[in-house]
Amino acid sequence: MPPVDRERQVPVAVLAAAFLFNLGQGVLRPSLPLYLQRSFAANYRMVTLIPVVFGAGKWIASLPTGYLLGRLGRPLMIWGLLLIALIDLASVMTSTYTVFLGLRALGGVGWAMFATVATTAMVNIPTVQRRGRAVSLLLMSETAGLLLGSAAGGWLYQGLGAASPFVFEAACMFVAAAVGRWASFAARSSAVPRGSGDWRLLRAILRTPGVLLMGAINATLIAIQTGVLVFLFPLYLVNRGGVGPEIVGLLISLSVLGRLLALWLGGTVSDRGGRMRVLIPGLLSYAALLGTLTFLTHPVMLGVWSLAIGAAAGFVAAIPTAVIGDQVSPPLQGVAIGWLRMMTDTGQILGPLVMGAFADAVDLSAPFLLGAALLTATAWQCRRQATAISAAVTPERKDS
């Protein structure tokens, strides 16, 4: 196979590592609150501190990882996986909540190391016409791993003991590290571009047309995902839809299914039809679905909307990252992706805080309307900057 064709292939080993990584994370999600209550007699505040410190660890480490990527390369991904595995094993050995809390924060650092390098590897596809699909494949691998892991997490906790989800996640991380080692070896002929450690690089990246906007869009998308769909949508289904817990689980799973089905479509269509031509109507459709959800109470219609909302979220999810890959030159892509992931983590931290406070202050429907307004505003900004963003893609990066 010619070297150029090899370089244009999607790094399958990175996709496999992403699946294993999220499989382990998914297994831990449903069982972690139960473990905290059993081991530390944790109250609600103690439980909710875990995602906060985990997100803070991710936020702190994402941008530095982008800089280190230019010097150390893809082994950073392996070190991140091994760090999480060791933290999982240490977590089941501690009997002190504050130590456990610190370990989960370090787990966020490991997450940032893996995710930043894996995303950069997918963005580094050297053709605009394949980048959207490559990023979509990464997100599909992550979503599939989380879906399967979440389904198995409760069973593992109940059947094999409270520590089993941590041990399972550690095993997934060790296997993913082995797979990632193969990815690192296979990528030597097309190594990740190396950049300077000069922090002035970030200023140059942020001056690139569309980069600030794509960061804001990613932060908005994850803020809505975590602050509205994960935490408040189940409450809406119970309080306004009058459904029981078993139906809530079914309706939420429809949203995940819709996201999984639409991820590939969004990346593929954006590769063929242009990023802004797809992103703008996608954001507006997402906004319309969120806004009109507040008028629905029938379980069947709520199921249809849940599937559609998941599909709308999946349809646009890969496009901001692909735009960053189009706009930023290869030597700067690691730093750009680190900054983009830091913006995403900002949305993950602030989203639940802002949306929850808004729901308490106004009404349970208010966060859905706020999310729709934010999506509409970002779509308007995309429309204003569409010409500048399209013009900034250099000819050499347009070539197939």
Side-chain angles (χ1 to χ4, degrees), residues 219-232:
T220 300
L221 291 176
I222 197 64
I224 293 172
Q225 180 70 28
T226 57
V228 179
L229 299 182
V230 172
F231 289 99
L232 297 181

Side-chain angles (χ1 to χ4, degrees), residues 26 125 144 204:
I125 299 295

Side-chain angles (χ1 to χ4, degrees), residues 13-14 16-18 20-21 75 77-79 81-82 85 114 170-186:
V14 174
L20 290 166
F21 176 82
M77 179 175 71
I78 301 170
W79 298 343
L81 291 168
L82 295 177
F114 171 81
C172 286
M173 298 302 158
F174 283 125
V175 176
V179 173
R181 181 67 185 90
W182 177 77
S184 179
F185 176 80

Side-chain angles (χ1 to χ4, degrees), residues 228-240:
V228 179
L229 299 182
V230 172
F231 289 99
L232 297 181
F233 188 34
L235 295 177
Y236 183 90
L237 293 173
V238 172
N239 296 339
R240 302 291 175 84

Side-chain angles (χ1 to χ4, degrees), residues 198-213 324 327-329 332 335-336 339 385 388-389 392:
D198 192 340
W199 285 86
R200 288 176 295 181
L201 291 179
L202 182 59
R203 290 198 294 270
I205 290 168
L206 296 181
R207 286 196 295 265
T208 304
V211 169
L212 281 171
L213 178 58
I324 295 292
Q327 299 296 97
V328 178
S329 61
L332 304 181
V335 178
W339 175 83
Q385 297 189 31
I389 291 173

Side-chain angles (χ1 to χ4, degrees), residues 115 119 147-148 161 172 186 267 277 322 397-398:
T119 305
L147 186 61
L148 293 176
C172 286
R277 291 180 182 177
R397 278 180 276 155
K398 289 183 180 180

